[in-house]
Amino acid sequence: MSDAMDWQADVGRDLMQSTGARLALLVRGEGASVWDADGKRYLDFLAGIAVNSLGHAHPVFVDAVATQAATLSHVSNYFATPPQLALAARLKRLAGTGPEGRVYFGNSGAEANEAAFKLARLHGGAERPRILALRDAFHGRTMGTLALTGKPYMQEPFQPMPAGVEHIDSTVEALEAALDDRVAALFVEPIKGEAGVVDLPDGFLQAARELTARHGALLIVDEIQTGAGRTGEWFAFQRAGITPDAITVAKGIGGGFPIGALITFGAASGLFYPGTHGSTFGGNPLGTAVADAVLTEIEDAGLVENAAVRGEQIRAAVAALGSDLVAECRGAGLLIGVGLRHPVAPAVVAAAQEHGLIVNAANDTTIRIAPPLTIGDVEVDEFAEAFGKALATVTDALLLENTPQTSEASA
Ligand SMILES: *Cc1c(COP(=O)(O)O)cnc(C)c1O
């Protein structure tokens, strides 16, 4: 094992430099806490980007991994297994698909969205070559999902993209202008997490449902970040009272075990036929047993309701800090974007880390907060204290910087 001081050098030498700098070397977690190699404890209000629904090392998670690993971990999709069938039935019930719904299992969000992309093509055929997605939405990093991701700077080094995807603004007018009978599917991220936890306008999902239905296009909702109870509903689309044709899930459903799924409703459930898609690992008994246990615990412990309640507490706590730096809170439940008045989110994240709090800069002006769904009063209070200190540190630095220009110093 390398010396704790050398880990940055190891990262620089051995890991593909496809992502930015690593913020710490973490060695252990429990509940909403993680510890680095020097023994420093952090309150984890990012949860591996909305993944660790039950926090770290939850007994239900640990037991599910250990028990299933000691029973049957992988068999390939030539065989069915009880955990796979149990999870599929549970996801159908939670998503409200009714009996005709179906579930395809992959191992990540991108794989779930790749399956959804192929579903859209099967539906569209030659008559419907167009696929719509929202500008700024994030759907993944593989070639297909990168084509869906509405961020030109991410696509640019990898052109040409798979064909047919067009990006539109998140407005009802843009939907009306774009939809016609040549559209196979519309992809929607119901709260744009990577874009800075940006909410859709009121009525957008309802209009999307109505217009896609009118033109015979599929409505596919990407619930990879918003699903598994995080927003205070099992899935964010449920707040809009609509029924999509498909949703994709990953992140929080596995609670830290890699798994993703495409869940279809109604006629879309009949589009895939034998030989059209598959994955060696997808839906294996280990991953599905863990996800089924995680979702069972979310249900039994009332964590969807907890997400709604704690989310309101966090918003109130942020407001009570009275920081001039904070403009607004966006998002729902325990997916919160704190919008800042200055592009200093990375500095706030660094200051928070100094004060023992892990949060994330979704972009230069947004702090993303996505703690485990298990948090209680104690964690909310601890968060507020550390976040207040971090905001104060950065506000002081800004004031110093702006001292010569007297007028705007504390805007
Ligand atoms: C994280 C995310 C993805 C991609 O999931 P991966 O598991 O990283 O492939 C897709 N869509 C949304 C909305 C996400 O937040």
Side-chain angles (χ1 to χ4, degrees):
M1 204 180 93
S2 54
D3 185 57
M5 305 221 344
D6 281 347
W7 67 269
Q8 288 283 21
D10 293 350
V11 168
R13 187 190 55 244
D14 296 338
L15 297 185
M16 198 66 74
Q17 299 295 296
S18 59
T19 52
R22 306 302 199 277
L23 301 171
L25 181 68
L26 299 179
V27 295
R28 188 168 75 83
E30 192 183 321
S33 299
V34 289
W35 284 264
D36 70 14
D38 299 322
K40 177 171 172 174
R41 176 184 163 270
Y42 304 87
L43 181 68
D44 183 5
F45 263 41
L46 182 59
I49 318 182
V51 166
N52 304 298
S53 316
L54 305 182
H56 298 275
H58 192 288
V60 165
F61 179 89
V62 173
D63 182 64
V65 172
T67 303
Q68 191 60 42
T71 306
L72 187 69
S73 68
H74 179 84
V75 293
S76 90
N77 284 303
Y78 288 119
F79 305 93
T81 64
Q84 182 184 63
L85 298 174
L87 180 60
R90 183 181 300 275
L91 287 171
K92 284 176 60 175
R93 173 168 60 79
L94 297 177
T97 68
E100 63 279 11
R102 291 186 193 277
V103 180
Y104 167 84
F105 289 113
N107 309 285
S108 66
E111 282 175 78
N113 280 341
E114 284 288 345
F117 198 144
K118 289 178 78 171
L119 184 84
R121 286 274 202 256
L122 284 175
H123 175 68
E127 272 67 58
R128 295 174 175 272
R130 302 178 64 207
I131 292 178
L132 304 179
L134 302 183
R135 210 158 268 147
D136 287 334
F138 182 81
H139 297 294
R141 298 282 206 155
T142 58
M143 287 304 295
T145 62
L146 189 57
L148 295 171
T149 292
K151 296 174 188 265
Y153 77 92
M154 283 190 189
Q155 297 182 341
E156 203 276 324
F158 303 102
Q159 294 288 358
M161 289 291 117
V165 182
E166 300 163 44
H167 292 99
I168 64 170
D169 287 335
S170 304
T171 64
V172 174
E173 298 75 60
L175 283 176
E176 282 167 347
L179 271 150
D180 62 20
D181 294 349
R182 289 171 57 77
V183 174
L186 166 68
F187 281 79
V188 175
E189 190 186 3
I191 297 174
K192 286 182 266 181
E194 302 301 306
V197 192
V198 179
D199 301 291
L200 293 174
D202 285 342
F204 182 90
L205 273 172
Q206 291 87 340
R209 176 66 289 181
E210 201 206 308
L211 286 161
T212 47
R214 190 189 302 163
H215 290 287
L218 301 180
L219 173 61
I220 301 175
V221 182
D222 180 340
E223 295 270 2
I224 289 165
Q225 194 156 157
T226 49
R230 174 147 301 273
T231 67
E233 303 275 348
W234 273 103
F235 301 102
F237 79 83
Q238 291 167 332
R239 190 171 287 109
I242 58 148
T243 303
D245 296 293
I247 63 173
T248 51
V249 297
K251 292 196 166 91
I253 66 164
F257 200 95
I259 184 168
L262 166 70
I263 304 167
T264 53
F265 298 64
S269 303
L271 288 167
F272 278 111
Y273 53 91
T276 44
H277 201 40
S279 156
T280 298
F281 293 127
N284 80 20
L286 184 51
T288 50
V290 175
D292 198 46
V294 168
L295 295 178
T296 301
E297 178 64 14
I298 293 175
E299 280 199 275
D300 291 355
L303 298 182
V304 182
E305 299 74 32
N306 193 57
V309 171
R310 301 303 169 193
E312 285 310 315
Q313 283 183 0
I314 290 172
R315 286 156 183 271
V318 170
L321 292 173
S323 170
D324 289 338
L325 211 47
V326 174
E328 60 175 353
C329 281
R330 300 184 292 268
L334 287 176
L335 181 59
I336 298 173
V338 180
L340 305 178
R341 290 187 207 281
H342 297 274
V344 291
V348 173
V349 168
Q353 195 176 329
E354 284 291 310
H355 292 292
L357 171 68
I358 294 177
V359 289
N360 160 256
N363 58 39
D364 280 353
T365 54
T366 308
I367 302 297
R368 174 170 40 186
I369 297 170
L373 307 186
T374 48
I375 60 163
D377 291 326
V378 175
E379 285 88 354
V380 173
D381 290 348
E382 195 191 339
F383 157 80
E385 197 186 327
F387 194 54
K389 286 180 188 164
L391 290 172
T393 303
V394 174
T395 304
D396 289 350
L398 271 179
L399 286 173
L400 274 180
E401 230 171 70
N402 291 338
T403 314
Q405 315 138 20
T406 45
S407 60
E408 271 187 301
S410 63

